[in-house]
């Protein structure tokens, strides 16, 4: 009989991430102390800036929306044993699909355009992810290397298009034309006003609802379809999947294309919902933070939502923090965010051996007492 006991789900997906988060906050508190500020005051301002008033909630959920999309994108690929670092590039190219549809099909009514924009983002993002997926599945080129390269290729491509093709005549700013007003995603505060509710203005828009819908769809796809089962089987053991009649290359390509489409949906929030045009670097690092969001959420849609909300809180609360306490600059806020990513992402298994030993000892002692 094995000397160790498998950890229950509530420890694996709940207690361990919470321990990592608490350690990150403790270390962040020490950094704040080192510059002569009060950690308790910093926490109070951080929480108030993220949740203390209606507008703060709107901004927090706006950031959360982007992290949900990129977190889901990474999770789908990860279930297939793939480390997709290309969400930035896939979202960038997805934004190109959204803006092309909105500019050249502006005669369409909003409901139809919304469907067209979703499809355009999905097709462009999936197509950009297909090439690294094919190289991994058929040529053995590691997906980490190729997706990093494709981030740079996407960035260079978008700079060229925004400077030489999409830039409006007479404008010196490298950005596209604005999309027609009737094709923009409605803000949540405008929707609320339409039904008689008063809400503070914020960039939170209809894409947040779509992010929640995508979370449910990813949950259904990964755990309740045969394609999701095949993806998880390939991710667990590609050789065993082959013996079971599952062709790994096919599902590697499928998982990466779905991942690319989910990354591209971030453009719905940024391009169609908030900026109303295509900007250089509108992805703003959301794709990379999505990796930490997925890992912290244990690659489950519900966990990803909670982790995305945490990072949305750090982004919005951090902006309030740097405004209220001048000694804590934006760079210091980035340090705090980086510590959370470090301990919840890169060092997520730091407590696992110790917690496993403690739980195993407790479990074996309880079984011995029951046997007696």
């Amino acid at each position: 009989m094995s000397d160790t006991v498998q950890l229950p789900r509530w420890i694996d997906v709940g207690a361990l991430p919470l321990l990592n988060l608490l350690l990150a906050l403790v270390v962040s508190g020490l950094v704040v102390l080192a510059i002569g500020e009060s950690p308790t005051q910093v926490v109070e301002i951080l929480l108030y800036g993220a949740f203390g008033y209606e507008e703060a909630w709107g901004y927090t959920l706006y950031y959360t929306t982007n992290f949900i999309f990129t977190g889901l994108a990474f999770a789908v690929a990860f279930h297939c044993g793939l480390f997709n670092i290309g969400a930035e590039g896939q979202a960038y190219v997805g934004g190109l699909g959204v803006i092309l549809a909105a500019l050249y099909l502006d005669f369409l009514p909003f409901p139809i355009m919304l469907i067209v924009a979703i499809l355009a983002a999905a097709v462009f993002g999936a197509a950009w992810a297909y090439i690294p997926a094919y190289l991994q599945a058929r040529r053995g080129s590691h997906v980490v290397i190729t997706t990093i390269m494709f981030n740079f290729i996407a960035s260079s491509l978008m700079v060229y298009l925004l400077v030489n093709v999409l830039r409006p005549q007479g404008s010196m700013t490298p950005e596209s034309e604005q999309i027609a007003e009737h094709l923009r995603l409605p803000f949540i505060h405008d929707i609320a006003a339409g039904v008689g509710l008063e809400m503070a203005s914020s960039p939170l828009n209809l894409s947040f609802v779509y992010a929640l819908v995508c979370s449910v769809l990813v949950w259904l796809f990964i755990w309740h379809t045969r394609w999701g089962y095949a993806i998880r089987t390939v991710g667990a053991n590609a050789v065993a999947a082959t013996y079971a009649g599952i062709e790994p290359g096919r599902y590697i390509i499928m998982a990466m294309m779905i991942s690319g489409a989910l990354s591209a949906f971030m453009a719905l929030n940024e391009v169609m919902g908030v900026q109303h045009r295509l900007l250089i670097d509108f992805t703003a690092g959301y794709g990379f933070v999505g990796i930490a969001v997925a890992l912290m959420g244990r690659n489950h849609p519900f966990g990803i939502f909670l982790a995305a909300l945490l990072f949305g809180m750090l982004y919005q609360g951090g902006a309030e923090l740097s405004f209220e306490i001048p000694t804590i600059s934006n760079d210091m806020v980035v340090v705090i965010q980086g510590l959370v990513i470090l301990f919840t992402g890169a060092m997520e298994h730091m407590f696992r051996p110790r917690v496993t030993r403690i739980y195993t000892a407790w479990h074996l002692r309880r079984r011995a007492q029951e046997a007696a």
Side-chain angles (χ1 to χ4, degrees):
M1 184 178 67
S2 174
D3 292 334
T4 60
V5 177
Q6 184 176 4
L7 293 175
R9 291 285 293 172
W10 68 270
I11 293 180
D12 187 35
V13 304
L16 284 175
L18 185 60
L19 282 174
N20 288 323
L21 177 60
L22 289 175
L23 182 59
L25 295 178
V26 169
V27 176
S28 299
L30 295 177
V31 173
V32 170
L33 276 175
I35 62 173
E37 298 293 342
S38 168
T40 55
Q41 182 188 13
V42 166
V43 171
E44 289 176 3
I45 295 174
L46 191 70
L47 291 175
Y48 177 78
F51 304 117
Y53 49 98
E54 282 188 8
E55 187 180 7
W57 269 100
Y59 274 89
T60 298
L61 293 178
Y62 152 68
Y63 292 124
T64 299
T65 303
N66 289 334
F67 294 135
I68 290 174
F69 285 131
T70 56
L72 290 174
F74 181 84
V76 170
F78 192 82
H79 279 296
C80 198
L82 304 168
F83 218 82
N84 179 17
I85 308 186
E88 288 278 308
Q90 291 148 19
Y92 222 160
V93 175
L96 177 63
V98 171
I99 199 66
L100 290 178
L103 292 180
Y104 293 101
L105 300 175
D106 58 351
F107 56 87
L108 293 175
F110 174 76
I112 297 178
M113 173 50 67
L114 179 58
I115 297 173
V116 171
I118 289 173
L119 292 176
V123 169
F124 275 64
W128 197 252
Y130 171 80
I131 303 173
Y134 176 85
L135 293 174
Q136 168 79 44
R138 307 303 182 198
R139 293 292 182 265
S141 301
H142 203 289
V143 72
V144 169
I145 304 300
T146 53
T147 50
I148 291 175
M149 293 170 60
F150 269 68
N151 283 339
F152 286 98
I153 296 172
S155 179
S156 300
L157 174 65
M158 297 303 291
V159 168
Y160 172 81
L161 291 176
L162 287 172
V163 170
N164 297 290
V165 180
L166 296 174
R167 181 163 54 95
Q169 189 73 24
S171 173
M172 298 298 293
T173 306
E175 61 185 33
S176 72
E177 293 183 16
Q178 291 208 2
I179 64 176
E181 190 169 347
H182 74 282
L183 298 180
R184 301 172 183 178
L185 288 181
F187 292 111
I188 295 298
H189 62 263
D190 289 335
I191 296 175
V195 296
L197 299 176
E198 185 176 349
M199 290 181 63
S201 298
S202 74
L204 182 64
N205 57 77
L206 193 61
S207 63
F208 174 69
V209 177
Y210 184 60
L212 298 181
V213 171
C214 286
S215 299
V216 175
L217 293 177
V218 167
W219 175 73
L220 290 172
F221 176 78
I222 293 294
W223 281 278
H224 295 278
T225 68
R226 62 184 182 90
W227 301 289
Y229 174 79
I231 285 173
R232 288 185 290 121
T233 302
V234 171
N237 192 321
V239 176
T242 302
Y243 278 104
I246 298 172
E247 203 274 295
R250 174 187 177 189
Y251 290 98
I252 286 173
I253 293 174
M254 177 188 293
M256 278 295 295
M257 292 183 71
I258 294 172
S259 179
L262 287 166
S263 299
F265 289 151
M266 194 189 85
L268 297 173
N269 186 28
E270 291 293 329
V271 176
M272 202 171 174
V274 179
Q275 308 296 344
H276 305 138
R277 59 194 186 278
L278 189 63
L279 302 173
I280 285 182
D281 289 335
F282 78 87
T283 52
Y286 292 118
F288 295 119
V289 178
I291 298 173
V293 168
L295 293 176
M296 186 177 182
R298 292 298 188 266
N299 297 295
H300 189 284
F302 182 69
I304 287 170
F305 170 76
L306 295 179
L309 184 62
L310 169 67
F311 280 93
M313 178 199 78
L314 291 174
Y315 267 56
Q316 170 57 21
E320 185 87 9
L321 189 61
S322 61
F323 177 78
E324 293 291 337
I325 305 180
T327 54
I328 299 182
S329 63
N330 286 329
D331 293 332
M332 185 61 65
V333 174
V334 172
V335 169
I336 296 173
Q337 294 168 353
L339 287 170
V340 173
I341 292 173
L342 174 67
F343 286 105
T344 61
M347 302 173 67
E348 64 167 328
H349 296 300
M350 182 171 57
F351 288 110
R352 183 178 294 275
R354 184 178 295 273
V355 171
T356 300
R357 286 196 299 269
I358 293 173
Y359 179 78
T360 298
W362 173 84
H363 182 78
L364 294 177
R365 186 162 56 251
R366 190 185 70 171
R367 288 183 60 183
Q369 291 172 351
E370 291 175 352

